[in-house]
Amino acid sequence: MTSAAKPRIPDPCCFVIFGVTGDLAHRLVTPALYNLAEAGLLPDKFCVVGVTRTEMQSKSLHEDLMKALRQFATRPINEAIASKLFDCVTSVNADPSDHGSFDRLKAHLDAIAARGIRNQLFYLAVPPTAFKPISDELGRTGLLHDDGESWRRLVIEKPFGTDLKSARELNHDLLKIVTEHQIYRIDHYLGKETVQNILVFRFANGMFEPIWNRNHIDHVQITVSETIDVGRRGSFYDATGAMRDMLPNHLFQLLALVTMEPPSRFDAHSVRTEKGEVLAAIQVQSPEEALRNSVRGQYVAGRVGDRQIGDYRSAPDVDPASITETYVAMKLTIDNWRWAGVPFYLRTGKALASKRTEVAIRFKQAPFSMFRATAVERLSQNYLIIGIEPTEGITLQFNTKVPGPTVAIDGVDMRFKYKDHFKVAPSTGYETLIYDCMIGDNILFQRADGIEAGWQAVQPFIDAWDKAGGNGLALYRAGADGPREAHELIERDGRRWRKIDGE
Ligand code: BG6
């Protein structure tokens, strides 16, 4: 996310992808590289090195990526641009259990460096168990050594650890090999324009910040509801669950952007410091509090739109007796001056009635006294809604007088929709992230402290659920809006979830 008026072209760079034939590289990285090439945002001296675990000719990899682009491109393909991009692709076979193969990778990259492409970006589009072995080997061969003249960067996908302990260990291990500044921990939510806009909306406008605190905000709801079911991801998902898959990363990124203090500068250090601070201020709950303030659910057969979905437990590669949650709702508080006493309700789940990602900020109710002697029975609630999906935009809900001779009041919406104002070529959401890795801007990437603060906040929930086993797992019908218990969680406080379908 460059702060310059015109995006600058990155330095010459060799883009090394581990897991180049995998789903992530096919679905997101390849089309994003193409979109960057089309936008003229790749350096002239650029090449892709795909690392595969089994022998593959460069020509076959070239064809494989071209095929992936045809399948997943977000825009019509310009053949000349695509050929130029893929002509630079070479394939290297390397496996971290074989030192010699990494020595060969080094020799390959040295030869490319001798042609003037000395900066190297290592993108680990691989399962998390491979992060450490690969980075260890890159460290051993000296490939991650940043000599000050050319740069070396390491890009890591989520999930970053499976709990606080493993996240700490992974940070510790990586930081023995590279400096924090060389690591780019990707959370694809930060690639979404609407998510990036939260910072701008809050801090480039003077009118909301004075009321963005416990004096004026009643509570905040963060929702990521999905219609998709577990699909073919059973083995990953059943070992992971909704909490680890979504909370300490995606939902907490939204939470951090909405609640952080204003950074003094728009740079990676200041922004990441403030995000880390607020995540560290999430109150760590006791096991009893964690159980009381959370609901975990699992879907059973039902209909989502026109799709019939079976029980989660009958999905491929899922344990038939699984107690893995496919839905989570939780209540958190943030223990600092700005937010003390304001509840944050977070929920996410699969196989729900509709796809919706939003942050809804509910302001405190105006005093009703003035309307007591009128026919008005109640005031509508004042929400500010930051819509991320399906509607990208911002809506402010307020009360207004219904025209006519009597005093009648109705809630109305003031809406801003991105698509009404900006023409943006469809993208994968990875373009800015990849571009930022190449220009060396870490602002949209997670720092070690932020990651650990996120795990610290969810750890009591994970521990309490582990201990409770299957007790407390609430079942919900696919196509519903979550388990009944999730409604009870918020209604206990005299509040209600916003509907996940409808505007
Ligand atoms: C991924 C999770 O990180 O995010 C998936 O692993 C989830 O389970 C996805 O479906 C949601 O992303 P988005 O951008 O569709 O909200």
Side-chain angles (χ1 to χ4, degrees), residues 315-379:
D317 303 321
V318 168
D319 176 355
S322 171
I323 53 166
T324 297
E325 76 287 354
T326 60
Y327 179 98
V328 182
M330 65 184 348
K331 175 179 161 184
L332 297 174
T333 50
I334 295 179
D335 215 1
N336 68 12
W337 192 260
R338 187 189 284 263
W339 296 114
V342 178
F344 290 82
Y345 300 97
L346 282 65
R347 62 179 163 162
T348 182
K350 298 225 182 284
L352 295 173
S354 53
K355 171 88 178 155
R356 172 169 297 244
T357 305
E358 67 171 31
V359 179
I361 294 137
R362 181 133 162 238
F363 291 95
K364 288 191 170 162
Q365 187 90 41
F368 188 72
S369 53
M370 178 179 151
F371 303 103
R372 223 160 246 141
T374 71
V376 175
E377 283 178 1
R378 56 174 196 94
L379 299 176

Side-chain angles (χ1 to χ4, degrees), residues 71-127:
Q71 188 177 355
F72 297 111
T74 60
R75 320 176 178 166
I77 300 172
N78 175 320
E79 296 295 330
I81 296 175
S83 318
K84 181 163 180 246
L85 174 66
F86 294 127
D87 278 350
C88 73
V89 170
T90 52
S91 161
V92 177
N93 165 231
D95 185 321
S97 60
D98 169 10
H99 288 337
S101 67
F102 269 70
D103 294 335
R104 285 194 293 283
L105 171 64
K106 175 154 187 333
H108 186 81
L109 296 178
D110 285 348
I112 292 175
R115 300 202 319 258
I117 308 183
R118 293 171 49 203
N119 301 309
Q120 289 159 7
L121 186 150
F122 298 95
Y123 195 119
L124 307 196
V126 292

Side-chain angles (χ1 to χ4, degrees), residues 277-337:
E277 278 284 312
V278 80
L279 290 175
I282 297 174
Q283 197 160 20
V284 177
Q285 310 203 7
S286 69
E288 299 72 34
E289 287 169 330
L291 285 180
R292 195 170 58 246
N293 290 328
S294 67
V295 171
R296 59 193 162 125
Q298 189 187 78
Y299 66 81
V300 293
R303 255 191 124 62
V304 178
D306 53 9
R307 274 182 318 131
Q308 181 63 37
I309 289 180
D311 289 349
Y312 169 73
R313 288 177 188 171
S314 64
D317 303 321
V318 168
D319 176 355
S322 171
I323 53 166
T324 297
E325 76 287 354
T326 60
Y327 179 98
V328 182
M330 65 184 348
K331 175 179 161 184
L332 297 174
T333 50
I334 295 179
D335 215 1
N336 68 12
W337 192 260

